[in-house]
Amino acid sequence: MVCGGFICTKNALSALNVLYIMVSLLLIGVAAWGKWFGLVSSISVVAAVIGVGVFLLLVALVGLCGALKHQQVLLFFYMMILFVVFVLQFSISCACLALNTDQQNQLLEVGWNKSEVTREDVEKTLNCCGFSSVNQSDSCPAQCFATPESCRSCAQILQEYAGQVLRFVGGIGLFFSFTEILGVWLTHKYRNLKDPRSNPGAFL
């Protein structure tokens, strides 16, 4: 069977969903590992990552079952969900790549003020205190706070890596968004192919 036929398209779509399953399990495993070893204490962050992993796992299972059984309803819903995810992920990835320094600082400050637990995690991990300045009257879990004069503000450290992280996240997001539009195209094509093992006069 030449590539582009029923079997080749089926195998390509199945392989793509196996990749999504592996990525989803990796996300769930990394989030659980980070929480277990105390690298991340924020329940909301861990729950969000696990939630994304579970959602991706469910979508991939729907796509895999639809591909293996050539089930039209499953393939249709899989294609629609994947297209919506593509639009959202592509938009977010482009936004990450387009943020300038001032916008990055505003985004960091919003995240800093939103969660006290996350703020303490950042201070402890990066050994810094405060966002824009070190306030000696506040408490800080960082080791440097024993001598506050030696502490740096967390904004200074975060700004050094914010651009790199956003470019990395944006690049990874763009890569997976193109695999998603590939999945949409493969699914649309696969739905309109006849199974050569079935009745030649039947359209499945």
Side-chain angles (χ1 to χ4, degrees):
M1 183 67 64
V2 296
C3 191
F6 183 87
I7 300 299
C8 183
T9 306
K10 175 182 178 179
N11 291 340
L13 190 58
S14 299
L16 184 63
N17 283 286
V18 169
L19 173 64
Y20 288 156
I21 290 174
M22 293 173 62
V23 171
S24 66
L25 293 177
L26 180 63
L27 284 174
I28 296 171
V30 168
W33 178 79
K35 180 61 179 175
W36 180 266
F37 286 95
L39 299 177
V40 180
S41 59
S42 175
I43 298 296
S44 59
V45 172
V46 174
V49 175
I50 292 179
V52 171
V54 171
F55 173 77
L56 180 59
L57 178 62
L58 293 176
V59 172
L61 289 175
V62 169
L64 186 60
C65 290
L68 294 176
K69 297 183 178 180
H70 199 219
Q71 225 289 335
Q72 293 290 311
V73 176
L74 288 179
L75 289 171
F76 175 78
F77 281 108
Y78 171 75
M79 183 173 63
M80 292 297 101
I81 294 172
L82 206 60
F83 180 74
V84 172
V85 172
F86 161 75
V87 172
L88 293 175
Q89 188 168 316
F90 184 80
S91 302
I92 294 172
S93 299
C94 291
C96 288
L97 295 172
L99 287 175
N100 57 37
T101 303
D102 292 336
Q103 293 169 331
Q104 291 174 15
N105 292 339
Q106 293 175 4
L107 185 63
L108 289 172
E109 190 169 4
V110 169
W112 180 269
N113 295 325
K114 190 173 183 180
S115 172
E116 183 177 353
V117 176
T118 303
R119 183 164 63 244
E120 291 177 353
D121 282 342
V122 172
E123 290 176 334
K124 185 177 180 181
T125 302
L126 298 181
N127 196 28
C128 59
C129 290
F131 182 74
S132 57
S133 60
V134 179
N135 190 342
Q136 299 185 21
S137 62
D138 291 339
S139 61
C140 179
Q143 294 181 353
C144 68
F145 198 63
T147 54
E149 296 79 9
S150 64
C151 278
R152 298 174 62 190
S153 66
C154 292
Q156 294 176 327
I157 301 176
L158 289 172
Q159 287 166 2
E160 294 176 1
Y161 301 103
Q164 298 177 11
V165 171
L166 287 173
R167 285 192 295 271
F168 175 78
V169 171
I172 294 294
L174 281 180
F175 170 77
F176 277 102
S177 66
F178 285 120
T179 67
E180 288 157 5
I181 201 63
L182 173 63
V184 171
W185 176 76
L186 285 173
T187 306
H188 179 268
K189 180 178 181 179
Y190 184 56
R191 290 184 73 242
N192 292 288
L193 291 174
K194 294 181 180 180
D195 190 343
R197 296 168 299 180
S198 66
N199 185 348
F203 183 79
L204 297 182

